[in-house]
Amino acid sequence: MRAVVAEMLESYDTELAALEEDADAPARLRILLRWMLPLAEDEWAAEKGRIVLIAQREQEPSWPTVWS
């Protein structure tokens, strides 16, 4: 889980850097705000998933116990 979150956060840095390339400060701010504020339903679902993953990054995995 930690590796997944670390990779996800690294991909955010790469994605934002690519989006902001050659943009001035006001444009970078607009790009960042648009990137952080999902507007479509599928973007909201993806953002909720990212938030859950980030919130759980320090948690140890809990495996369900199966009793036979």
Side-chain angles (χ1 to χ4, degrees):
M1 180 63 105
R2 289 182 183 137
V4 170
V5 172
E7 184 177 322
M8 185 177 62
L9 291 173
E10 183 178 319
S11 73
Y12 292 170
D13 292 341
T14 303
E15 182 180 342
L16 275 174
L19 291 171
E20 295 175 340
E21 189 173 331
D22 298 327
D24 61 6
R28 286 195 316 269
L29 179 58
R30 283 190 299 277
I31 291 166
L32 177 63
L33 291 174
R34 171 63 185 98
W35 185 81
M36 291 175 59
L37 300 170
L39 300 177
E41 189 65 34
D42 61 331
E43 293 173 343
W44 274 106
E47 187 62 21
K48 287 177 189 176
R50 287 190 286 266
I51 290 168
V52 168
L53 283 173
I54 291 170
Q56 298 297 319
R57 70 178 170 218
E58 298 300 325
Q59 300 293 319
E60 292 297 322
S62 60
W63 304 104
T65 305
V66 177
W67 300 98
S68 8

